[in-house]
Amino acid sequence: MNFQELSEMVIVGDHIGAEAWTQKALDSGISAKTIIDDGLIPGMDEVGRRFRENEYYMPDVLISARAMKISMALVRPLLAESGESTRGAVVIGTVQGDLHDIGKNLVGMMLEGAGYDVHDLGVDVSPEDFLKCVEENEAGILCMSALLTTTMPMMETTIKAASEAELRNKVKILVGGAPVSDAFAVRIGADGYAPDAARAVDLVNSIMGG
Ligand code: B1M
């Protein structure tokens, strides 16, 4: 099968086509990992590039992500069954006290499209819940989102809690969200900051060596 076709369906956001293509590929014995590596990841990489270069806007990315997610929903169970690994586990959530999730969802979807095993804890996530999830899934990356100046300090609280739980050297902690900046990330001892979803994927790739 031509994997370029699946990539193209993701790029243009053809979720019906992506679902049918993925099912056909699975029926013909193609592995879940090959579908992700050769179809979905190149497609989402291109979406990320277009978003970075202002050729795509948020709605375009969401439409592409929907196509990617439908395909992922078919391959994910097989990936787990066969024990085939993804590019690594990432935990993501919006910090405690904060209910904004549009940007965080976008980052999570893009990371999933890039081949990571994303554990999305949703909104209003306590430091304890973030760290429990990191530990349980041996996640190499923790991504925190905050949209309110009043909830940004929860990022620092979570980082301190990670140190106290002796997890700090086991997980890279990345932060993002509209009021967050590079300088803030440095000040609170985070390992990195990304201003948007595409650059969050670039950052995670660079840390995970991909
Ligand atoms: Co809220 N809100 N809101 N809100 N809201 C803001 C953030 C605000 C700036 C509006 C304003 O006053 N101009 C303001 C914050 C002011 C401040 O703190 N200085 C504000 C306020 C005050 C509030 C309430 C307190 C209002 C009230 O009740 N009085 C309340 C708080 C509730 C709470 O959280 N406890 C509240 C509620 C809400 C809604 C529920 C109505 C809704 C949220 C719906 C939802 O998320 N499901 C909402 C919305 C929609 C907004 C605005 C309009 C849009 C936010 C958004 O989704 N942007 C926002 C104003 C604005 O930003 N223009 C506002 C689009 C999204 C794609 O961008 O989230 O920045 P963003 O994500 C980007 C990047 O930042 C980055 O990648 C994403 C994609 O490129 N990124 C990451 C995000 N997370 C990342 C994590 C990473 C890396 C990158 O990890 C490594």
Side-chain angles (χ1 to χ4, degrees):
M1 287 180 81
N2 180 0
F3 289 93
Q4 177 77 40
E5 280 174 10
L6 179 60
S7 302
E8 200 55 40
M9 285 166 184
V10 169
I11 294 165
V12 301
D14 174 6
H15 66 283
I16 295 169
E19 184 173 32
W21 195 100
T22 305
Q23 192 56 59
K24 202 167 151 205
L26 290 172
D27 292 345
S28 65
I30 294 172
S31 79
K33 191 160 190 307
T34 307
I35 293 171
I36 295 174
D37 288 348
D38 297 351
L40 296 178
I41 292 178
M44 283 309 281
D45 277 350
E46 175 61 13
V47 173
R49 185 198 67 74
R50 291 186 188 190
F51 183 65
R52 258 190 318 272
E53 291 175 18
N54 297 324
E55 290 171 35
Y56 264 22
Y57 295 100
M58 204 177 73
D60 305 300
V61 178
L62 289 172
I63 290 167
S64 290
R66 178 176 60 171
M68 180 275 295
K69 272 183 105 83
I70 280 179
S71 176
M72 275 301 286
L74 291 174
V75 301
R76 196 186 287 109
L78 298 163
L79 206 59
E81 258 171 41
S82 64
E84 282 173 310
S85 64
T86 61
R87 292 169 87 179
V90 176
V91 172
I92 189 168
T94 303
V95 296
Q96 196 161 42
D98 199 322
L99 304 176
H100 295 85
D101 68 355
I102 298 169
K104 181 268 298 168
N105 291 346
L106 207 51
V107 175
M109 285 190 287
M110 294 282 284
L111 285 170
E112 194 167 26
Y116 293 95
D117 178 18
V118 176
H119 300 266
D120 186 342
L121 296 177
V123 296
D124 192 19
V125 183
S126 68
E128 297 72 32
D129 285 349
F130 271 129
L131 300 179
K132 189 165 166 254
C133 190
V134 164
E135 218 167 0
E136 281 174 2
N137 297 288
E138 295 179 3
I141 305 274
L142 167 59
C143 294
M144 288 188 281
S145 180
L147 262 287
L148 299 170
T149 46
T150 49
T151 57
M152 285 165 66
M154 281 315 294
M155 293 176 152
E156 188 171 15
T157 306
T158 306
I159 292 173
K160 283 189 178 146
S163 302
E164 281 157 21
E166 294 181 6
L167 274 177
R168 190 64 194 94
N169 58 354
K170 294 187 185 141
V171 63
K172 297 286 182 201
I173 303 184
L174 313 180
V175 293
V180 179
S181 65
D182 216 356
F184 176 76
V186 170
R187 185 149 54 78
I188 64 171
D191 297 299
Y193 156 76
D196 59 47
R199 274 172 284 191
V201 174
D202 291 344
L203 186 57
V204 171
N205 283 344
S206 70
I207 291 171
M208 301 297 267

